[in-house]
PDB file of all heavy atoms in Angstrom:
ATOM      1  N   PHE A   1       0.810  -1.225  -0.023  1.00 83.00           N
ATOM      2  CA  PHE A   1       0.002  -0.008  -0.028  1.00 83.00           C
ATOM      3  C   PHE A   1       0.867   1.248  -0.010  1.00 83.00           C
ATOM      4  O   PHE A   1       0.437   2.265  -0.563  1.00 83.00           O
ATOM      5  CB  PHE A   1      -0.930  -0.002   1.233  1.00 83.00           C
ATOM      6  CG  PHE A   1      -2.023  -1.053   1.109  1.00 83.00           C
ATOM      7  CD1 PHE A   1      -1.905  -2.274   1.834  1.00 83.00           C
ATOM      8  CD2 PHE A   1      -3.135  -0.858   0.279  1.00 83.00           C
ATOM      9  CE1 PHE A   1      -2.884  -3.177   1.742  1.00 83.00           C
ATOM     10  CE2 PHE A   1      -4.137  -1.788   0.178  1.00 83.00           C
ATOM     11  CZ  PHE A   1      -3.974  -3.000   0.937  1.00 83.00           C
ATOM     12  N   LEU A   2       2.033   1.212   0.643  1.00 84.00           N
ATOM     13  CA  LEU A   2       2.929   2.382   0.603  1.00 84.00           C
ATOM     14  C   LEU A   2       3.354   2.621  -0.836  1.00 84.00           C
ATOM     15  O   LEU A   2       3.275   3.819  -1.275  1.00 84.00           O
ATOM     16  CB  LEU A   2       4.106   2.158   1.495  1.00 84.00           C
ATOM     17  CG  LEU A   2       3.909   2.079   2.966  1.00 84.00           C
ATOM     18  CD1 LEU A   2       5.166   1.725   3.710  1.00 84.00           C
ATOM     19  CD2 LEU A   2       3.421   3.456   3.518  1.00 84.00           C
ATOM     20  N   VAL A   3       3.771   1.641  -1.558  1.00 87.00           N
ATOM     21  CA  VAL A   3       4.216   1.850  -2.919  1.00 87.00           C
ATOM     22  C   VAL A   3       3.048   2.175  -3.828  1.00 87.00           C
ATOM     23  O   VAL A   3       3.127   3.044  -4.777  1.00 87.00           O
ATOM     24  CB  VAL A   3       4.987   0.607  -3.399  1.00 87.00           C
ATOM     25  CG1 VAL A   3       5.407   0.755  -4.866  1.00 87.00           C
ATOM     26  CG2 VAL A   3       6.185   0.320  -2.534  1.00 87.00           C
ATOM     27  N   PHE A   4       1.898   1.559  -3.609  1.00 87.00           N
ATOM     28  CA  PHE A   4       0.719   1.747  -4.463  1.00 87.00           C
ATOM     29  C   PHE A   4       0.270   3.230  -4.355  1.00 87.00           C
ATOM     30  O   PHE A   4       0.094   3.922  -5.376  1.00 87.00           O
ATOM     31  CB  PHE A   4      -0.418   0.910  -4.004  1.00 87.00           C
ATOM     32  CG  PHE A   4      -1.703   1.047  -4.764  1.00 87.00           C
ATOM     33  CD1 PHE A   4      -1.873   0.295  -5.966  1.00 87.00           C
ATOM     34  CD2 PHE A   4      -2.680   1.953  -4.338  1.00 87.00           C
ATOM     35  CE1 PHE A   4      -3.067   0.482  -6.670  1.00 87.00           C
ATOM     36  CE2 PHE A   4      -3.804   2.110  -5.102  1.00 87.00           C
ATOM     37  CZ  PHE A   4      -4.061   1.410  -6.242  1.00 87.00           C
ATOM     38  N   VAL A   5       0.168   3.749  -3.162  1.00 83.00           N
ATOM     39  CA  VAL A   5      -0.290   5.123  -2.976  1.00 83.00           C
ATOM     40  C   VAL A   5       0.749   6.110  -3.499  1.00 83.00           C
ATOM     41  O   VAL A   5       0.380   7.111  -4.188  1.00 83.00           O
ATOM     42  CB  VAL A   5      -0.564   5.435  -1.499  1.00 83.00           C
ATOM     43  CG1 VAL A   5      -0.877   6.870  -1.272  1.00 83.00           C
ATOM     44  CG2 VAL A   5      -1.760   4.593  -0.995  1.00 83.00           C
ATOM     45  N   ALA A   6       2.042   5.860  -3.299  1.00 84.00           N
ATOM     46  CA  ALA A   6       3.042   6.778  -3.802  1.00 84.00           C
ATOM     47  C   ALA A   6       3.089   6.752  -5.349  1.00 84.00           C
ATOM     48  O   ALA A   6       3.145   7.806  -6.010  1.00 84.00           O
ATOM     49  CB  ALA A   6       4.372   6.395  -3.270  1.00 84.00           C
ATOM     50  N   THR A   7       2.996   5.572  -5.989  1.00 83.00           N
ATOM     51  CA  THR A   7       2.987   5.530  -7.446  1.00 83.00           C
ATOM     52  C   THR A   7       1.738   6.197  -8.013  1.00 83.00           C
ATOM     53  O   THR A   7       1.793   6.878  -9.031  1.00 83.00           O
ATOM     54  CB  THR A   7       3.030   4.061  -7.898  1.00 83.00           C
ATOM     55  OG1 THR A   7       4.170   3.421  -7.298  1.00 83.00           O
ATOM     56  CG2 THR A   7       3.128   3.935  -9.415  1.00 83.00           C
ATOM     57  N   PHE A   8       0.660   5.983  -7.349  1.00 81.00           N
ATOM     58  CA  PHE A   8      -0.651   6.613  -7.791  1.00 81.00           C
ATOM     59  C   PHE A   8      -0.499   8.101  -7.663  1.00 81.00           C
ATOM     60  O   PHE A   8      -0.917   8.842  -8.641  1.00 81.00           O
ATOM     61  CB  PHE A   8      -1.767   6.143  -6.876  1.00 81.00           C
ATOM     62  CG  PHE A   8      -3.108   6.152  -7.529  1.00 81.00           C
ATOM     63  CD1 PHE A   8      -3.604   5.002  -8.106  1.00 81.00           C
ATOM     64  CD2 PHE A   8      -3.849   7.279  -7.643  1.00 81.00           C
ATOM     65  CE1 PHE A   8      -4.794   4.962  -8.781  1.00 81.00           C
ATOM     66  CE2 PHE A   8      -5.073   7.249  -8.263  1.00 81.00           C
ATOM     67  CZ  PHE A   8      -5.538   6.129  -8.890  1.00 81.00           C
ATOM     68  N   ALA A   9       0.166   8.665  -6.668  1.00 80.00           N
ATOM     69  CA  ALA A   9       0.343  10.086  -6.518  1.00 80.00           C
ATOM     70  C   ALA A   9       1.254  10.622  -7.592  1.00 80.00           C
ATOM     71  O   ALA A   9       1.063  11.684  -8.185  1.00 80.00           O
ATOM     72  CB  ALA A   9       0.830  10.410  -5.133  1.00 80.00           C
ATOM     73  N   GLY A  10       2.310   9.797  -7.917  1.00 80.00           N
ATOM     74  CA  GLY A  10       3.219  10.270  -8.983  1.00 80.00           C
ATOM     75  C   GLY A  10       2.502  10.260 -10.376  1.00 80.00           C
ATOM     76  O   GLY A  10       2.750  11.255 -11.131  1.00 80.00           O
ATOM     77  N   ILE A  11       1.613   9.332 -10.612  1.00 77.00           N
ATOM     78  CA  ILE A  11       0.859   9.416 -11.872  1.00 77.00           C
ATOM     79  C   ILE A  11      -0.113  10.538 -11.915  1.00 77.00           C
ATOM     80  O   ILE A  11      -0.215  11.281 -12.943  1.00 77.00           O
ATOM     81  CB  ILE A  11       0.087   8.043 -12.058  1.00 77.00           C
ATOM     82  CG1 ILE A  11       1.094   6.893 -12.240  1.00 77.00           C
ATOM     83  CG2 ILE A  11      -0.825   8.099 -13.235  1.00 77.00           C
ATOM     84  CD1 ILE A  11       0.456   5.567 -12.291  1.00 77.00           C
ATOM     85  N   ARG A  12      -0.762  10.806 -10.759  1.00 76.00           N
ATOM     86  CA  ARG A  12      -1.691  11.922 -10.737  1.00 76.00           C
ATOM     87  C   ARG A  12      -1.025  13.280 -10.810  1.00 76.00           C
ATOM     88  O   ARG A  12      -1.663  14.288 -11.167  1.00 76.00           O
ATOM     89  CB  ARG A  12      -2.535  11.862  -9.439  1.00 76.00           C
ATOM     90  CG  ARG A  12      -3.415  10.620  -9.317  1.00 76.00           C
ATOM     91  CD  ARG A  12      -4.565  10.731 -10.276  1.00 76.00           C
ATOM     92  NE  ARG A  12      -5.465  11.831 -10.044  1.00 76.00           N
ATOM     93  CZ  ARG A  12      -6.507  11.747  -9.212  1.00 76.00           C
ATOM     94  NH1 ARG A  12      -6.791  10.645  -8.586  1.00 76.00           N
ATOM     95  NH2 ARG A  12      -7.265  12.808  -9.067  1.00 76.00           N
ATOM     96  N   SER A  13       0.275  13.318 -10.578  1.00 74.00           N
ATOM     97  CA  SER A  13       0.985  14.622 -10.610  1.00 74.00           C
ATOM     98  C   SER A  13       1.248  15.029 -12.056  1.00 74.00           C
ATOM     99  O   SER A  13       1.720  16.170 -12.282  1.00 74.00           O
ATOM    100  CB  SER A  13       2.324  14.504  -9.831  1.00 74.00           C
ATOM    101  OG  SER A  13       3.237  13.628 -10.498  1.00 74.00           O
ATOM    102  N   VAL A  14       1.081  14.124 -13.017  1.00 72.00           N
ATOM    103  CA  VAL A  14       1.367  14.432 -14.438  1.00 72.00           C
ATOM    104  C   VAL A  14       0.209  15.301 -14.934  1.00 72.00           C
ATOM    105  O   VAL A  14      -0.938  14.891 -14.825  1.00 72.00           O
ATOM    106  CB  VAL A  14       1.503  13.195 -15.215  1.00 72.00           C
ATOM    107  CG1 VAL A  14       1.689  13.590 -16.736  1.00 72.00           C
ATOM    108  CG2 VAL A  14       2.651  12.350 -14.768  1.00 72.00           C
ATOM    109  N   GLY A  15       0.556  16.478 -15.479  1.00 65.00           N
ATOM    110  CA  GLY A  15      -0.434  17.409 -15.980  1.00 65.00           C
ATOM    111  C   GLY A  15      -1.001  16.880 -17.360  1.00 65.00           C
ATOM    112  O   GLY A  15      -0.306  16.272 -18.112  1.00 65.00           O
ATOM    113  N   PRO A  16      -2.292  17.110 -17.579  1.00 67.00           N
ATOM    114  CA  PRO A  16      -2.845  16.638 -18.938  1.00 67.00           C
ATOM    115  C   PRO A  16      -2.240  17.337 -20.073  1.00 67.00           C
ATOM    116  O   PRO A  16      -2.186  16.788 -21.150  1.00 67.00           O
ATOM    117  CB  PRO A  16      -4.352  16.944 -18.740  1.00 67.00           C
ATOM    118  CG  PRO A  16      -4.408  18.052 -17.669  1.00 67.00           C
ATOM    119  CD  PRO A  16      -3.306  17.762 -16.746  1.00 67.00           C
ATOM    120  N   GLY A  17      -1.737  18.595 -19.900  1.00 65.00           N
ATOM    121  CA  GLY A  17      -1.096  19.307 -20.993  1.00 65.00           C
ATOM    122  C   GLY A  17       0.138  18.561 -21.468  1.00 65.00           C
ATOM    123  O   GLY A  17       0.373  18.524 -22.734  1.00 65.00           O
ATOM    124  N   LEU A  18       0.940  18.019 -20.578  1.00 66.00           N
ATOM    125  CA  LEU A  18       2.158  17.293 -20.957  1.00 66.00           C
ATOM    126  C   LEU A  18       1.779  16.050 -21.773  1.00 66.00           C
ATOM    127  O   LEU A  18       2.394  15.755 -22.744  1.00 66.00           O
ATOM    128  CB  LEU A  18       2.967  16.919 -19.732  1.00 66.00           C
ATOM    129  CG  LEU A  18       4.183  16.130 -19.943  1.00 66.00           C
ATOM    130  CD1 LEU A  18       5.181  16.896 -20.842  1.00 66.00           C
ATOM    131  CD2 LEU A  18       4.873  15.767 -18.627  1.00 66.00           C
ATOM    132  N   VAL A  19       0.740  15.312 -21.346  1.00 64.00           N
ATOM    133  CA  VAL A  19       0.323  14.161 -22.022  1.00 64.00           C
ATOM    134  C   VAL A  19      -0.151  14.503 -23.443  1.00 64.00           C
ATOM    135  O   VAL A  19       0.194  13.814 -24.416  1.00 64.00           O
ATOM    136  CB  VAL A  19      -0.780  13.461 -21.260  1.00 64.00           C
ATOM    137  CG1 VAL A  19      -1.293  12.196 -22.009  1.00 64.00           C
ATOM    138  CG2 VAL A  19      -0.247  12.974 -19.847  1.00 64.00           C
ATOM    139  N   ARG A  20      -0.926  15.582 -23.540  1.00 67.00           N
ATOM    140  CA  ARG A  20      -1.444  15.975 -24.901  1.00 67.00           C
ATOM    141  C   ARG A  20      -0.298  16.369 -25.818  1.00 67.00           C
ATOM    142  O   ARG A  20      -0.288  16.012 -27.009  1.00 67.00           O
ATOM    143  CB  ARG A  20      -2.437  17.131 -24.745  1.00 67.00           C
ATOM    144  CG  ARG A  20      -3.792  16.666 -24.211  1.00 67.00           C
ATOM    145  CD  ARG A  20      -4.819  17.767 -24.447  1.00 67.00           C
ATOM    146  NE  ARG A  20      -4.524  18.944 -23.699  1.00 67.00           N
ATOM    147  CZ  ARG A  20      -4.989  19.212 -22.507  1.00 67.00           C
ATOM    148  NH1 ARG A  20      -5.818  18.342 -21.926  1.00 67.00           N
ATOM    149  NH2 ARG A  20      -4.661  20.332 -21.857  1.00 67.00           N
ATOM    150  N   THR A  21       0.723  17.065 -25.238  1.00 66.00           N
ATOM    151  CA  THR A  21       1.869  17.515 -26.044  1.00 66.00           C
ATOM    152  C   THR A  21       2.632  16.319 -26.585  1.00 66.00           C
ATOM    153  O   THR A  21       3.027  16.264 -27.737  1.00 66.00           O
ATOM    154  CB  THR A  21       2.784  18.404 -25.189  1.00 66.00           C
ATOM    155  OG1 THR A  21       2.045  19.530 -24.691  1.00 66.00           O
ATOM    156  CG2 THR A  21       3.977  18.863 -26.004  1.00 66.00           C
ATOM    157  N   VAL A  22       2.889  15.319 -25.689  1.00 67.00           N
ATOM    158  CA  VAL A  22       3.604  14.184 -26.102  1.00 67.00           C
ATOM    159  C   VAL A  22       2.779  13.371 -27.186  1.00 67.00           C
ATOM    160  O   VAL A  22       3.353  12.836 -28.162  1.00 67.00           O
ATOM    161  CB  VAL A  22       3.975  13.271 -24.938  1.00 67.00           C
ATOM    162  CG1 VAL A  22       4.595  11.934 -25.394  1.00 67.00           C
ATOM    163  CG2 VAL A  22       4.842  13.999 -23.977  1.00 67.00           C
ATOM    164  N   ALA A  23       1.482  13.309 -27.001  1.00 66.00           N
ATOM    165  CA  ALA A  23       0.647  12.619 -27.990  1.00 66.00           C
ATOM    166  C   ALA A  23       0.654  13.296 -29.320  1.00 66.00           C
ATOM    167  O   ALA A  23       0.595  12.671 -30.408  1.00 66.00           O
ATOM    168  CB  ALA A  23      -0.793  12.514 -27.428  1.00 66.00           C
ATOM    169  N   ILE A  24       0.744  14.642 -29.314  1.00 68.00           N
ATOM    170  CA  ILE A  24       0.796  15.385 -30.578  1.00 68.00           C
ATOM    171  C   ILE A  24       2.012  15.010 -31.403  1.00 68.00           C
ATOM    172  O   ILE A  24       1.988  14.939 -32.621  1.00 68.00           O
ATOM    173  CB  ILE A  24       0.742  16.878 -30.286  1.00 68.00           C
ATOM    174  CG1 ILE A  24      -0.617  17.295 -29.814  1.00 68.00           C
ATOM    175  CG2 ILE A  24       1.113  17.650 -31.593  1.00 68.00           C
ATOM    176  CD1 ILE A  24      -0.706  18.720 -29.346  1.00 68.00           C
ATOM    177  N   PHE A  25       3.112  14.692 -30.714  1.00 64.00           N
ATOM    178  CA  PHE A  25       4.375  14.340 -31.392  1.00 64.00           C
ATOM    179  C   PHE A  25       4.373  12.889 -31.784  1.00 64.00           C
ATOM    180  O   PHE A  25       5.393  12.329 -32.232  1.00 64.00           O
ATOM    181  CB  PHE A  25       5.549  14.657 -30.554  1.00 64.00           C
ATOM    182  CG  PHE A  25       5.917  16.105 -30.475  1.00 64.00           C
ATOM    183  CD1 PHE A  25       5.450  16.903 -29.447  1.00 64.00           C
ATOM    184  CD2 PHE A  25       6.748  16.633 -31.430  1.00 64.00           C
ATOM    185  CE1 PHE A  25       5.832  18.249 -29.417  1.00 64.00           C
ATOM    186  CE2 PHE A  25       7.070  18.004 -31.442  1.00 64.00           C
ATOM    187  CZ  PHE A  25       6.616  18.798 -30.417  1.00 64.00           C
ATOM    188  N   GLY A  26       3.252  12.154 -31.634  1.00 63.00           N
ATOM    189  CA  GLY A  26       3.142  10.823 -32.227  1.00 63.00           C
ATOM    190  C   GLY A  26       3.302   9.724 -31.153  1.00 63.00           C
ATOM    191  O   GLY A  26       3.366   8.494 -31.555  1.00 63.00           O
ATOM    192  N   ALA A  27       3.429  10.012 -29.912  1.00 64.00           N
ATOM    193  CA  ALA A  27       3.622   8.938 -28.917  1.00 64.00           C
ATOM    194  C   ALA A  27       2.317   8.180 -28.701  1.00 64.00           C
ATOM    195  O   ALA A  27       1.253   8.764 -28.519  1.00 64.00           O
ATOM    196  CB  ALA A  27       4.123   9.597 -27.586  1.00 64.00           C
ATOM    197  N   GLY A  28       2.417   6.904 -28.652  1.00 60.00           N
ATOM    198  CA  GLY A  28       1.253   6.040 -28.337  1.00 60.00           C
ATOM    199  C   GLY A  28       1.024   5.855 -26.841  1.00 60.00           C
ATOM    200  O   GLY A  28       1.699   6.463 -25.996  1.00 60.00           O
ATOM    201  N   GLY A  29       0.027   5.044 -26.562  1.00 62.00           N
ATOM    202  CA  GLY A  29      -0.313   4.829 -25.112  1.00 62.00           C
ATOM    203  C   GLY A  29       0.826   4.209 -24.316  1.00 62.00           C
ATOM    204  O   GLY A  29       1.061   4.621 -23.166  1.00 62.00           O
ATOM    205  N   LEU A  30       1.514   3.223 -24.860  1.00 68.00           N
ATOM    206  CA  LEU A  30       2.581   2.567 -24.196  1.00 68.00           C
ATOM    207  C   LEU A  30       3.746   3.538 -23.966  1.00 68.00           C
ATOM    208  O   LEU A  30       4.410   3.568 -22.940  1.00 68.00           O
ATOM    209  CB  LEU A  30       3.057   1.336 -24.963  1.00 68.00           C
ATOM    210  CG  LEU A  30       4.147   0.501 -24.284  1.00 68.00           C
ATOM    211  CD1 LEU A  30       3.689  -0.040 -22.983  1.00 68.00           C
ATOM    212  CD2 LEU A  30       4.565  -0.697 -25.203  1.00 68.00           C
ATOM    213  N   ALA A  31       4.093   4.337 -25.043  1.00 67.00           N
ATOM    214  CA  ALA A  31       5.193   5.273 -24.922  1.00 67.00           C
ATOM    215  C   ALA A  31       4.856   6.371 -23.875  1.00 67.00           C
ATOM    216  O   ALA A  31       5.762   6.818 -23.088  1.00 67.00           O
ATOM    217  CB  ALA A  31       5.474   5.864 -26.255  1.00 67.00           C
ATOM    218  N   ILE A  32       3.660   6.782 -23.839  1.00 68.00           N
ATOM    219  CA  ILE A  32       3.236   7.782 -22.841  1.00 68.00           C
ATOM    220  C   ILE A  32       3.360   7.248 -21.401  1.00 68.00           C
ATOM    221  O   ILE A  32       3.893   7.862 -20.460  1.00 68.00           O
ATOM    222  CB  ILE A  32       1.811   8.272 -23.143  1.00 68.00           C
ATOM    223  CG1 ILE A  32       1.758   9.076 -24.372  1.00 68.00           C
ATOM    224  CG2 ILE A  32       1.299   9.162 -22.003  1.00 68.00           C
ATOM    225  CD1 ILE A  32       0.409   9.519 -24.814  1.00 68.00           C
ATOM    226  N   ALA A  33       2.896   6.019 -21.243  1.00 68.00           N
ATOM    227  CA  ALA A  33       2.974   5.350 -19.899  1.00 68.00           C
ATOM    228  C   ALA A  33       4.425   5.227 -19.513  1.00 68.00           C
ATOM    229  O   ALA A  33       4.773   5.462 -18.319  1.00 68.00           O
ATOM    230  CB  ALA A  33       2.314   3.990 -19.950  1.00 68.00           C
ATOM    231  N   ARG A  34       5.301   4.835 -20.413  1.00 66.00           N
ATOM    232  CA  ARG A  34       6.715   4.635 -20.052  1.00 66.00           C
ATOM    233  C   ARG A  34       7.518   5.923 -19.910  1.00 66.00           C
ATOM    234  O   ARG A  34       8.234   6.071 -18.943  1.00 66.00           O
ATOM    235  CB  ARG A  34       7.384   3.730 -21.194  1.00 66.00           C
ATOM    236  CG  ARG A  34       8.858   3.389 -20.829  1.00 66.00           C
ATOM    237  CD  ARG A  34       9.450   2.604 -21.934  1.00 66.00           C
ATOM    238  NE  ARG A  34       9.561   3.283 -23.178  1.00 66.00           N
ATOM    239  CZ  ARG A  34       8.863   2.996 -24.255  1.00 66.00           C
ATOM    240  NH1 ARG A  34       7.932   2.061 -24.218  1.00 66.00           N
ATOM    241  NH2 ARG A  34       8.916   3.760 -25.368  1.00 66.00           N
ATOM    242  N   GLU A  35       7.345   6.850 -20.869  1.00 65.00           N
ATOM    243  CA  GLU A  35       8.228   8.019 -20.880  1.00 65.00           C
ATOM    244  C   GLU A  35       7.668   9.153 -20.038  1.00 65.00           C
ATOM    245  O   GLU A  35       8.438  10.029 -19.629  1.00 65.00           O
ATOM    246  CB  GLU A  35       8.411   8.441 -22.346  1.00 65.00           C
ATOM    247  CG  GLU A  35       9.022   7.454 -23.251  1.00 65.00           C
ATOM    248  CD  GLU A  35      10.413   7.100 -22.763  1.00 65.00           C
ATOM    249  OE1 GLU A  35      11.092   7.911 -22.157  1.00 65.00           O
ATOM    250  OE2 GLU A  35      10.876   5.988 -23.215  1.00 65.00           O
ATOM    251  N   VAL A  36       6.321   9.224 -19.853  1.00 71.00           N
ATOM    252  CA  VAL A  36       5.776  10.328 -19.118  1.00 71.00           C
ATOM    253  C   VAL A  36       5.358   9.898 -17.692  1.00 71.00           C
ATOM    254  O   VAL A  36       5.852  10.430 -16.737  1.00 71.00           O
ATOM    255  CB  VAL A  36       4.535  10.958 -19.920  1.00 71.00           C
ATOM    256  CG1 VAL A  36       3.904  12.083 -19.067  1.00 71.00           C
ATOM    257  CG2 VAL A  36       4.978  11.435 -21.259  1.00 71.00           C
ATOM    258  N   TYR A  37       4.412   8.952 -17.654  1.00 71.00           N
ATOM    259  CA  TYR A  37       3.926   8.561 -16.320  1.00 71.00           C
ATOM    260  C   TYR A  37       4.996   7.878 -15.471  1.00 71.00           C
ATOM    261  O   TYR A  37       5.122   8.227 -14.324  1.00 71.00           O
ATOM    262  CB  TYR A  37       2.680   7.675 -16.521  1.00 71.00           C
ATOM    263  CG  TYR A  37       1.405   8.391 -16.964  1.00 71.00           C
ATOM    264  CD1 TYR A  37       0.849   8.179 -18.198  1.00 71.00           C
ATOM    265  CD2 TYR A  37       0.766   9.280 -16.146  1.00 71.00           C
ATOM    266  CE1 TYR A  37      -0.213   8.826 -18.602  1.00 71.00           C
ATOM    267  CE2 TYR A  37      -0.314   9.960 -16.489  1.00 71.00           C
ATOM    268  CZ  TYR A  37      -0.878   9.715 -17.794  1.00 71.00           C
ATOM    269  OH  TYR A  37      -1.996  10.381 -18.191  1.00 71.00           O
ATOM    270  N   TRP A  38       5.678   6.918 -16.106  1.00 76.00           N
ATOM    271  CA  TRP A  38       6.700   6.202 -15.245  1.00 76.00           C
ATOM    272  C   TRP A  38       7.810   7.116 -14.822  1.00 76.00           C
ATOM    273  O   TRP A  38       8.168   7.086 -13.644  1.00 76.00           O
ATOM    274  CB  TRP A  38       7.220   5.025 -16.059  1.00 76.00           C
ATOM    275  CG  TRP A  38       8.407   4.373 -15.423  1.00 76.00           C
ATOM    276  CD1 TRP A  38       9.605   4.203 -15.943  1.00 76.00           C
ATOM    277  CD2 TRP A  38       8.430   3.753 -14.119  1.00 76.00           C
ATOM    278  NE1 TRP A  38      10.458   3.563 -15.070  1.00 76.00           N
ATOM    279  CE2 TRP A  38       9.753   3.249 -13.959  1.00 76.00           C
ATOM    280  CE3 TRP A  38       7.508   3.630 -13.110  1.00 76.00           C
ATOM    281  CZ2 TRP A  38      10.167   2.637 -12.750  1.00 76.00           C
ATOM    282  CZ3 TRP A  38       7.904   3.004 -11.950  1.00 76.00           C
ATOM    283  CH2 TRP A  38       9.220   2.478 -11.795  1.00 76.00           C
ATOM    284  N   HIS A  39       8.320   7.955 -15.704  1.00 74.00           N
ATOM    285  CA  HIS A  39       9.394   8.877 -15.276  1.00 74.00           C
ATOM    286  C   HIS A  39       8.993   9.892 -14.279  1.00 74.00           C
ATOM    287  O   HIS A  39       9.736  10.282 -13.383  1.00 74.00           O
ATOM    288  CB  HIS A  39       9.971   9.535 -16.551  1.00 74.00           C
ATOM    289  CG  HIS A  39      10.850   8.605 -17.348  1.00 74.00           C
ATOM    290  ND1 HIS A  39      12.195   8.541 -17.174  1.00 74.00           N
ATOM    291  CD2 HIS A  39      10.570   7.731 -18.320  1.00 74.00           C
ATOM    292  CE1 HIS A  39      12.739   7.644 -18.075  1.00 74.00           C
ATOM    293  NE2 HIS A  39      11.766   7.143 -18.760  1.00 74.00           N
ATOM    294  N   SER A  40       7.715  10.298 -14.365  1.00 75.00           N
ATOM    295  CA  SER A  40       7.173  11.286 -13.427  1.00 75.00           C
ATOM    296  C   SER A  40       6.959  10.620 -12.053  1.00 75.00           C
ATOM    297  O   SER A  40       7.133  11.240 -11.020  1.00 75.00           O
ATOM    298  CB  SER A  40       5.879  11.857 -13.908  1.00 75.00           C
ATOM    299  OG  SER A  40       6.096  12.587 -15.085  1.00 75.00           O
ATOM    300  N   ALA A  41       6.583   9.315 -12.072  1.00 78.00           N
ATOM    301  CA  ALA A  41       6.307   8.640 -10.823  1.00 78.00           C
ATOM    302  C   ALA A  41       7.526   8.063 -10.145  1.00 78.00           C
ATOM    303  O   ALA A  41       7.445   7.721  -8.913  1.00 78.00           O
ATOM    304  CB  ALA A  41       5.313   7.473 -11.086  1.00 78.00           C
ATOM    305  N   GLN A  42       8.665   7.976 -10.834  1.00 80.00           N
ATOM    306  CA  GLN A  42       9.847   7.356 -10.249  1.00 80.00           C
ATOM    307  C   GLN A  42      10.299   7.987  -8.893  1.00 80.00           C
ATOM    308  O   GLN A  42      10.592   7.288  -7.970  1.00 80.00           O
ATOM    309  CB  GLN A  42      10.981   7.343 -11.261  1.00 80.00           C
ATOM    310  CG  GLN A  42      10.956   6.172 -12.181  1.00 80.00           C
ATOM    311  CD  GLN A  42      12.287   6.022 -12.935  1.00 80.00           C
ATOM    312  OE1 GLN A  42      13.323   5.822 -12.297  1.00 80.00           O
ATOM    313  NE2 GLN A  42      12.195   6.063 -14.260  1.00 80.00           N
TER     314      GLN A  42
END
């Protein structure tokens, strides 16, 4: 639960504008999860 809540908070800290910007440059769902969400949650 410690890791779950912390990872969830890291994912929620990602702004939607950043996700949209990365998607505009052609990133798919897997790339967004790896490059945006995962790096922000680390």
Side-chain angles (χ1 to χ4, degrees):
F1 291 101
L2 290 175
V3 178
F4 179 89
V5 172
T7 306
F8 209 95
I11 293 174
R12 294 292 296 271
S13 67
V14 178
L18 177 60
V19 176
R20 286 195 295 267
T21 301
V22 175
I24 290 173
F25 283 95
L30 183 61
I32 293 175
R34 183 181 65 250
E35 301 297 336
V36 179
Y37 286 112
W38 169 240
H39 284 266
S40 299
Q42 275 196 58

